[in-house]
Amino acid sequence: MGTVTVLYFAAARERAGLSREVLEVPEGLPVKEVLRLLAERHPALGPLLPHLRVAVDQEFVREEAVVPGGAELALIPPVAGGSGLFAVVDRALRLEEVVAAVSGEAYGGLVTFSGSVRNQTRGRRVLRLEYEAYPPMAEKRLAAIGAEAAERFGGTRLAIMHRVGTLEPGELAVVIAAAAPHRKEAFLACEHAIERLKQDVPIWKKEFFEDGEVWVGLGP
């Protein structure tokens, strides 16, 4: 037998009723069997499992992968995220920070993206958003996106900062800066960054309305 530390985030945390636990499991157990044990342990978690991704020691894995003893296994709900700055912070964001991280005399093209909280979603008034993250893995994935951009778009520099905590309409949730020798690569890298962030970075948001609340990506 061995032990596995299980981390729960966002909707998974709410269903399980805790943020982490240490589970004793047989050696050489695949991910899918660990998930089965978790569903038995926390029945409310079961219906959510098909919507989750699993990370073992901060790397996404398939259900057939073996979970080694002493590993950290994280249940990742659908996410709402080269040289540069890649950070998850719980304070107000400033676009100037990411711009300064990528600027340089060799980089003639600079493109930025600022994502702020909207005051409505599909006709429902938004009171606030609550962002949650798995910080060490999120920052690791942001840096990987930076490396992808540098390779695909001619040495482009990226910097990405994402905020967590409670945000009200109008506040910045994410800021991105992309710098390249030419404008085309900078535009492409900035677009690549926000699309990849939404696909693969473990950051979640919960929307609060006048008549309810929902984790984005999981429906009502």
Side-chain angles (χ1 to χ4, degrees):
M1 300 290 284
T3 60
V4 174
T5 300
V6 183
L7 305 182
Y8 300 94
F9 295 97
R13 184 194 66 249
E14 290 184 346
R15 298 288 184 93
L18 72 173
S19 60
R20 71 162 56 212
E21 65 179 326
V22 177
L23 194 67
E24 191 172 273
V25 299
E27 292 285 353
L29 206 63
V31 167
K32 61 183 178 182
E33 289 301 314
V34 176
L35 295 179
R36 183 182 62 79
L37 293 175
L38 294 176
E40 292 177 355
R41 193 178 184 91
H42 307 291
L45 187 64
L48 190 63
L49 291 178
H51 303 283
L52 305 180
R53 298 176 73 185
V54 177
V56 174
D57 292 332
Q58 300 181 19
E59 295 291 343
F60 286 119
V61 298
R62 296 182 179 275
E63 287 193 343
E64 295 76 20
V66 171
V67 181
E72 180 183 84
L73 185 148
L75 299 187
I76 308 291
V79 296
S83 60
L85 172 65
F86 305 98
V88 175
V89 300
D90 61 356
R91 58 173 174 78
L93 299 178
R94 296 173 55 248
L95 187 62
E96 293 84 355
E97 290 182 84
V98 287
V99 170
V102 300
S103 296
E105 293 183 358
Y107 297 86
L110 176 66
V111 175
T112 65
F113 173 82
S114 301
S116 60
V117 177
R118 298 188 302 270
N119 65 1
Q120 63 84 32
T121 297
R122 293 184 291 276
R124 301 172 74 187
R125 189 164 77 89
V126 175
L127 302 179
R128 68 184 187 279
L129 297 186
E130 289 186 2
Y131 280 92
E132 180 180 320
Y134 180 14
M137 185 176 176
E139 292 182 348
K140 186 175 181 179
R141 300 307 300 174
L142 291 175
I145 292 170
E148 290 173 6
E151 182 176 352
R152 292 182 58 176
F153 306 112
T156 300
R157 285 181 173 177
L158 267 183
I160 309 171
M161 295 184 69
H162 204 295
R163 187 176 172 185
V164 294
T166 301
L167 282 73
E168 297 181 353
E171 292 190 284
L172 290 174
V174 60
V175 289
I176 301 173
H182 305 286
R183 66 180 183 275
K184 180 179 179 180
E185 289 77 12
F187 276 108
L188 290 172
C190 192
E191 182 180 28
H192 176 79
I194 190 62
E195 294 301 326
R196 291 286 287 116
L197 186 157
K198 289 179 174 293
Q199 294 168 359
D200 216 30
V201 178
I203 298 173
W204 309 274
K205 67 179 178 181
K206 192 172 191 178
E207 291 183 311
F208 289 81
F209 308 100
E210 293 174 306
D211 58 350
E213 60 193 53
V214 63
W215 285 104
V216 174
L218 288 177

